[in-house]
Amino acid sequence: MTRLDAGRIEAYRRDGYLTPLSAFEPDEMADHLARLDAIQAKRGGRLSPTFNIKAHLLIPQLWDLVRDERILRPVQDILGPDLLCWAASFFMKEPGEPQHVPWHQDATYWGLSEPRALTAWVAFSASGSENGCMRVLPGSHAGTAPHRDSNDAWNMLPGREEIAFNVDESQAVDIILRPGEMSLHHLLLIHGSKPNAGGTRRVGFAIRYIAGDLTQTGSERVSATLVSGRDHGGFDLESAPEDEFHPAALQRHPDIVRKWMRMVSGEVSKRRA
């Protein structure tokens, strides 16, 4: 991935997202997916919801991925040289299952001092209209919107939140990605995804990057991973996993997740209509 030119940066500023961006060769991403499948096979066929929160702190493959220059270069062009990975997790949808992501803004639960943050959504498998790709509302990142509890058990978001008004879906754009491609979207961009109505599963890895000088609002101090540049002291810094699900990493992870979930729950509650 080369640096973003001025035109693409302006398009991101205007629309709130950028896609598609080439990050990995298809065969390289096929290897990443095969390794993920092997990890899940060893753990009862799935990555548990708890282990999926900040999964890069348990799996060296993912620790390397969030620090990969092919992802970081375009993110640096938008957010600057000092970057933290605030979180990273998989969004997986099997064919015919009802899991979906309602319209929402990520800012409802990030709780950051400023909205200089984005998600790099990396396609481990093909992501298209039939199998529930991400959809966005271009230009919807001007400010925060009210949210409510969806009361929906199939909502894949950590707080079950959704936008508290009807969205004009005729304005939505499907983010169609091939394996190894990625999209970037602003934390205030309204986005979501439908259930997987196709015949192939959809696997995406959402990496949450923030500018390195930001801080967390509220009383809960959470941690983050320094991925480029220097540390500004706003977050406790996270450590690389010694090995796949290494005992030391497994010992550190629960406290990190508890703090993160308390912060998320507090932020979601503050923003509900």
Side-chain angles (χ1 to χ4, degrees):
M1 179 68 213
T2 57
R3 292 289 185 182
L4 299 179
D5 60 28
R8 299 187 96 178
I9 294 173
E10 174 56 31
Y12 174 86
R13 307 278 186 216
R14 180 190 66 239
D15 299 330
Y17 72 98
L18 200 57
T19 191
L21 299 173
S22 296
F24 303 93
E25 294 297 327
D27 58 347
E28 187 178 3
M29 188 48 66
D31 180 64
H32 276 297
L33 183 57
R35 291 164 69 186
L36 173 63
D37 289 343
I39 289 170
Q40 291 183 296
K42 287 189 253 182
R43 311 195 74 84
R46 64 193 288 266
L47 193 63
S48 75
T50 299
F51 287 165
N52 193 30
I53 297 173
K54 293 180 179 267
H56 66 295
L57 303 183
L58 297 171
I59 303 171
Q61 166 197 0
L62 302 180
W63 175 270
D64 293 341
L65 195 70
V66 304
R67 301 166 64 86
D68 195 294
E69 287 294 322
R70 291 167 289 183
I71 298 175
L72 293 181
R73 281 195 290 268
V75 177
Q76 290 168 333
D77 290 338
I78 293 171
L79 297 180
D82 301 337
L83 291 177
L84 295 165
C85 173
W86 181 83
S89 58
F90 286 100
F91 282 82
M92 306 185 199
K93 294 179 184 175
E94 296 296 331
E97 293 191 351
Q99 287 93 342
H100 64 283
V101 178
W103 294 110
H104 72 288
Q105 294 173 311
D106 292 334
T108 55
Y109 64 90
W110 288 30
L112 298 172
S113 54
E114 296 180 52
R116 288 185 291 121
L118 59 77
T119 293
W121 202 100
V122 182
F124 271 49
S125 68
S127 182
S129 303
E130 288 189 355
N131 68 351
C133 68
M134 185 168 67
R135 309 171 75 213
V136 303
L137 292 181
S140 61
H141 59 300
T144 57
H147 287 66
R148 63 193 173 206
D149 188 338
S150 66
N151 293 309
D152 181 354
W154 299 111
N155 183 339
M156 299 178 77
L157 296 174
R160 298 192 313 183
E161 67 270 22
E162 66 178 2
I163 289 284
F165 53 80
N166 292 328
V167 168
D168 181 2
E169 298 205 15
S170 69
Q171 302 301 310
V173 173
D174 288 353
I175 304 298
I176 297 173
L177 298 171
R178 295 178 296 184
E181 292 182 332
M182 69 178 184
S183 63
L184 305 179
H185 68 265
H186 192 281
L187 87 166
L188 287 170
L189 186 74
I190 296 175
H191 62 289
S193 65
K194 294 180 179 180
N196 183 346
T200 60
R201 65 174 171 158
R202 193 213 68 169
V203 180
F205 190 52
I207 310 172
R208 322 298 193 169
Y209 291 110
I210 67 174
D213 61 327
L214 298 189
T215 57
Q216 199 78 54
T217 61
S219 58
E220 193 71 58
R221 181 178 173 92
V222 301
S223 58
T225 300
L226 181 66
V227 294
S228 76
R230 68 181 182 90
D231 172 32
H232 291 252
F235 294 80
D236 296 331
L237 295 185
E238 296 161 341
S239 302
E242 293 80 356
D243 202 350
E244 189 178 295
F245 295 100
H246 189 276
L250 288 170
Q251 186 173 20
R252 294 188 298 265
H253 193 250
D255 185 56
I256 291 171
V257 170
R258 279 193 295 269
K259 290 178 179 178
W260 189 86
M261 285 302 300
R262 283 199 299 265
M263 183 278 301
V264 166
S265 297
E267 292 298 319
V268 169
S269 296
K270 285 194 295 187
R271 285 165 174 75
R272 280 181 179 150

